[in-house]
Amino acid sequence: MSQKEQNEKEPLFSPKHIKLLTNPLDDDNPITVLVLGICSALAVTVMLQPAVVMTLSVVCVMGLANLIVSLLRNTIPPRIRIIVQLVVIASLVILVDQVLKAFLYDVSRQLSVFVGLIITNCIIMGRLEAFALANKPWPSFLDGVGNAAGYGIILIIVAFLRELLGSGTVYGYPVIEYLGLYEFGYEDNGFMILPPMALITVGVIIWVQRSRNRKLIETN
Amino acid sequence: MEELVNIFVRSVFIDNMVFAYFLGMCSYLAVSKTVTTANGLGIAVIFVLGITVPINFLIENYFLMPGALSWLGPRFAEMDLSFLSFIMFIAVIASMVQLVEMVVEKFVPALYSSLGIFLPLIAVNCAILGGSLFMQEREYATIAEATSFGLGSGVGFYLAIVGLAAIREKIKYSNVPPPLRGLGITFIITGLMGIAFMSFLGINL
């Protein structure tokens, strides 16, 4: 309804809208600053391919969920809004899950329960509560995509590091072998594949980000 | 009986929700500032997992699985509703959490106010839904096995969150580099705790 009026008022990609997309990449990053959606971010990052598939699924679910909830925002009674949001998210996740099972069966097996766990990914609930319930459809859609991208960028960085250092490959290509580093006595660090190293990698990413961006430092 | 104890010990130590699968991380990181609140959340999670996993087990086995509806008559024996499992599980969890919230508010108001927003958020705590989804994936045979798995996962989460809260209370007195303070150091502590828990991997049950 209001999308047309709003498009007349300001262009589709006004500076304010661009900010909605880019802010979550650094200053308001959902993982390293807002501490949302950590669980899946850590579990699917052993290899790059599942991480990329996961990112795409979250972008789809989150953009559409924000859009739908924002369209419905004036009709949802506040008391039952959590259930309504969960139903919207769960239906979108079922769609994504069925599509993955049909076209990318191997990856879908690797991701195992984590596709289902997109439902309880707190980024999605958090953005629905904080943004989509109070804003028009188009900005909500951008906010959803932006936050999912901010989540995805951390996922892909962690997966890249863990796959490169842990298995010596990037997206399945044996980069280290190609460079011939094994002949100089280089060995893959098998430790990077184990779950605890995901946590420590994210800790180091937070360290790097906050030394670069001083205003994010916590006081206590 | 032995089998039940095995499943319980496995899910507490070896397949620990937090350290092996990173489930429930959000509330794990956010509520672990003091031991008392961590204690409250941990108990709430044990309770909710112990209830929802067996209920979802029944729903899975008598409504959703291929052939599960055969008790309704031969016409329904072919029915496969397993694509509905996400929505059914999350509905059960959301209503159970509502129930726990009302009970806690009525009988332990102090705990209720200290848990604040995190009690309703248990509904979107991935450890809870994860418990039900793992129960589905691992195909436990009886309801007793599913219950023991649910309780074990809850106890594993409890141990992890109370341990982290205790360490964070102590680390307030240390001189951590400013960019690492708060979230960064918490991640690294959790990683180190995870490495410690990995020593249980060698145990054969």
Side-chain angles (χ1 to χ4, degrees), chain A residues 47-112:
Chain A
M47 290 287 169
L48 208 46
Q49 199 195 7
V52 170
V53 173
M54 187 72 183
T55 305
L56 291 179
S57 321
V58 172
V59 169
C60 290
V61 172
M62 204 161 159
L64 289 176
N66 261 7
L67 185 67
I68 294 173
V69 169
S70 174
L71 285 171
L72 293 175
R73 70 184 187 280
N74 294 324
T75 51
I76 301 176
R79 279 179 157 271
I80 58 159
R81 64 179 195 287
I82 300 222
I83 302 272
V84 174
Q85 289 163 4
L86 279 176
V87 170
V88 170
I89 301 172
S91 331
L92 289 168
V93 170
I94 290 177
L95 282 181
V96 167
D97 185 49
Q98 300 289 331
V99 168
L100 284 184
K101 272 191 186 137
F103 295 106
L104 284 169
Y105 190 70
D106 292 339
V107 182
S108 150
R109 285 237 58 92
Q110 263 180 314
L111 289 173
S112 83

Side-chain angles (χ1 to χ4, degrees), chain A residues 32 39 112 117 120 122 195-196 218, chain B residues 22-23 26 124 126 137 182-183 191:
Chain A
T32 60
C39 335
S112 83
L117 287 176
T120 52
C122 14
E218 287 170 50
Chain B
F22 312 111
L23 294 179
C26 312
V124 285
C126 10
E137 197 179 81
L183 192 57

Side-chain angles (χ1 to χ4, degrees), chain A residues 110-164:
Chain A
Q110 263 180 314
L111 289 173
S112 83
V113 299
F114 289 98
V115 179
L117 287 176
I118 297 179
I119 298 173
T120 52
N121 191 320
C122 14
I123 303 180
I124 302 185
M125 277 303 264
R127 291 324 291 174
L128 288 181
E129 283 275 293
F131 201 92
L133 276 178
N135 283 282
K136 290 179 176 163
W138 175 245
S140 308
F141 178 70
L142 288 181
D143 181 79
V145 173
N147 273 287
Y151 161 86
I153 202 166
I154 301 288
L155 219 69
I156 288 171
I157 294 174
V158 176
F160 174 77
L161 289 174
R162 285 180 76 193
E163 189 177 345
L164 181 66

Side-chain angles (χ1 to χ4, degrees), chain B residues 18-37:
Chain B
V18 174
F19 298 125
Y21 299 105
F22 312 111
L23 294 179
M25 270 287 166
C26 312
S27 42
Y28 173 78
L29 292 172
V31 190
S32 57
K33 287 206 175 96
T34 59
V35 173
T36 22
T37 43

